[in-house]
Amino acid sequence: MLVARDRMPGAGRGGRGPPEPDEIVDGSTRLDTVNGNVEEAIGALGALLGDRLSTSAPVRDLHGHDESAFPDAPPDAVAFPRTTEEVAAIVRTCTELGVPVVAFGTGSSLEGHILAVEGGVVLDTSLMDQILRVSIEDLDVTVQPGVTRTVLEKRVGGEGAFFSVDPGADASLGGMAATGASGTNTVRYGTMRENVLALEVVLAGGRVIRTGTRARKSSAGYDLTHLFIGSEGTLGIITELTLRLRPIPEAISAAVCSFPTTQDAVGTAIAIVQSGVPIARCELLDATMMRAVNAHSELGRAEAPTLFLEFHGTPAGVEEDARYVEELAREHGAGDFAWSVKTEDRSRLWRARHNAYFAGIGLRPGCRVLTTDVCVPVSELAATIDATIADVADLPFPAPLLGHVGDGNFHVMLLIDPDDPEDRRLAEAAYERIVDRAIAVGGTCTGEHGVGLGKRRALGAQSGEAIEVMRALKLALDPSDCLNPGKVLPEPQHSST
Ligand SMILES: Cc1cc2nc3c(=O)[nH]c(=O)nc-3n(C[C@H](O)[C@H](O)[C@H](O)COP(=O)(O)OP(=O)(O)OC[C@H]3O[C@@H](n4cnc5c(N)ncnc54)[C@H](O)[C@@H]3O)c2cc1C
């Protein structure tokens, strides 16, 4: 999803405007061209942070590059705050000077979210890495935003608890809240939206607010916590999160089975969800993705559409669930249903699933990936996946498909040669068709990756008049448009009259 130069956000803003193409390619040229406000901000932030403010080209380049296929866009400086007070001071300074501030967790987002398309300061939260409080009694935890999900997992795992949201990357919890992330456990435990209880947020101008409480439910006023979840750093910077934990189940079993066709695999997934079996994970990998995963993780499974499944509960319960699902799978043609309660078998399976993105890239070394992320009502899943497979079948590059099908969410990885304009054209067109097809059946353009730069048009198409309410919220909370400018909201449509 390359953005044409004249579509780059920021064109026409009073501020610095879009970077020139040579600046994007070669981040080292950026500082020669910064405007006075940025220089002033860098001076003030340098005095505040010392060597935790960097203007070096390698550091800026690292923070102007993500996993998307957009061109790199490095910031003018990178700040590494440790405390909420430092975040507030950075945001205050930048807001007063009209300098963009882009929050950065681990940079694993997939739609150009963290690219500094208007320059400015990237605020890297990696030093805000403290787990501030753990309550096993209440099954909740309070963390700074730079704590990653695997660090939290290690900390609470020994105490019999886990945090359920597990995107494929070891993302920061601040970034996960900001993108409304989810993962393989979502069908049972929900997304970030269901697992964040409270937030501390620094608003434009530097004001600090707290949203939500540690209570499990509340009817108290507007739900500001959920306003910030999925806001992608455009409404405020999250400086603290209170999250729900879950007890580690007494028994866990994992199962894997392959099918003659993708339709059979999807049909099984739908039957599982509709039967009410409390499935904890239900993941589809198509035959191309299984080829990639076999090569990458040495799974040795059939190169056929495959479901990875997991059940949580009591020993008797998980066995009963697995046996019931085995019957459903066999009715849909599965021939090799295998299940196990052994930790090493489960770990191997889910490690392979979590590495599927990198396995997919291995199908075409040197490629860049356009990843689709639609989510549809489960009743529409079979037809939508069918149409998608037919749509991408003739593309001249690999397009493996995988998905959290228990949620109705699936991804097609469009593996393009970044230097081939025809690859890009074909991939972008397929990407838009897949998005429009999902919206047409009552689905969403993004189930979990978020909007960033890549899905702004689609968000407009999906939201109708509600996009104007989103614009009003942005204007109310960030009137000078300093927080991650150019992201999420599509350019306003001007009438020609
Ligand atoms: C291999 C791979 C697998 C993936 N699998 C999944 C998956 O299964 N499910 C899924 O949901 N995603 C997945 N993703 C996408 C990505 O991991 C998620 O979007 C993740 O939530 C991003 O977290 P991050 O810390 O990397 O955030 P970043 O990429 O650093 O930032 C993402 C956005 O959040 C904003 N942000 C970051 N921190 C803050 C903060 N403290 N306050 C306010 N805004 C902030 C940024 O400005 C940006 O707009 C995958 C990515 C990769 C590369």
Side-chain angles (χ1 to χ4, degrees), residues 103 105-109 113 168 171-172 176 178-179 181-182 232-233 238 448 484:
T106 67
S108 70
S109 45
H113 295 70
S172 73
M176 287 167 59
T179 55
S182 59
E232 303 184 8
I238 298 165
E448 55 184 21
N484 206 3

Side-chain angles (χ1 to χ4, degrees), residues 67 102-110 113-114 125 145 166-169 171-172 174-176 178-179 181-183 232-233 236-238 354 357-358 404 448-449 484:
E67 288 289 334
V102 182
F104 186 103
T106 67
S108 70
S109 45
L110 297 166
H113 295 70
I114 54 86
T125 60
D166 66 334
S172 73
M176 287 167 59
T179 55
S182 59
E232 303 184 8
I237 311 283
I238 298 165
H354 278 130
Y357 179 85
F358 300 105
H404 314 297
E448 55 184 21
H449 295 164
N484 206 3

Side-chain angles (χ1 to χ4, degrees), residues 259-478:
F259 295 84
T261 67
T262 307
Q263 275 313 300
D264 294 318
V266 175
T268 304
I270 293 171
I272 293 169
V273 172
Q274 290 175 343
S275 72
V277 173
I279 191 95
R281 289 168 151 168
C282 181
E283 300 285 307
L284 167 72
L285 290 79
D286 79 351
T288 313
M289 185 52 86
M290 281 307 292
R291 174 156 57 89
V293 166
N294 277 337
H296 189 271
S297 300
E298 297 177 357
L299 268 195
R301 299 282 315 173
E303 279 179 23
T306 301
L307 287 182
F308 289 14
L309 305 159
E310 193 167 276
F311 310 91
H312 294 179
T314 61
V318 297
E319 175 162 356
E320 192 182 328
D321 289 343
R323 298 248 177 254
Y324 181 74
V325 167
E326 179 173 3
E327 263 176 51
L328 288 179
R330 291 204 189 282
E331 282 167 21
H332 286 84
D336 59 353
F337 192 94
W339 70 281
S340 171
V341 289
K342 286 192 199 150
T343 307
E344 61 270 25
D345 292 345
R346 285 194 287 111
S347 303
R348 188 154 170 259
L349 194 66
W350 293 109
R351 202 166 34 246
R353 169 60 188 89
H354 278 130
N355 286 333
Y357 179 85
F358 300 105
I361 289 175
L363 290 172
R364 196 177 189 194
C367 69
R368 293 300 295 257
V369 190
L370 264 75
T371 314
T372 70
D373 173 40
V374 295
C375 188
V376 297
V378 169
S379 62
E380 299 287 349
L381 186 62
T384 307
I385 288 188
D386 241 2
T388 301
I389 288 173
D391 192 345
V392 301
D394 292 332
L395 291 175
F397 43 78
L401 182 148
L402 75 166
H404 314 297
V405 283
D407 311 322
N409 184 197
F410 68 94
H411 313 298
V412 181
M413 293 177 66
L414 302 162
L415 305 180
I416 62 166
D417 173 352
D419 300 322
D420 183 342
E422 184 60 3
D423 262 20
R424 276 194 185 278
R425 190 185 67 74
L426 290 170
E428 290 181 12
Y431 178 106
E432 299 296 349
R433 286 194 300 275
I434 292 168
V435 160
D436 288 341
R437 197 175 294 122
I439 294 173
V441 297
T444 175
C445 59
T446 172
E448 55 184 21
H449 295 164
V451 177
L453 288 172
K455 295 217 175 71
R456 292 175 305 148
R457 179 204 70 83
L459 180 69
Q462 177 180 320
S463 306
E465 201 51 29
I467 203 75
E468 298 309 326
V469 178
M470 294 188 207
R471 284 192 211 289
L473 285 167
K474 171 73 174 168
L475 193 64
L477 288 177
D478 181 22

Side-chain angles (χ1 to χ4, degrees), residues 230-254:
S231 67
E232 303 184 8
T234 63
L235 300 181
I237 311 283
I238 298 165
T239 46
E240 210 176 279
L241 306 92
T242 298
L243 306 167
R244 283 184 77 168
L245 299 176
R246 311 282 175 161
I248 294 176
E250 190 187 346
I252 301 177
S253 74

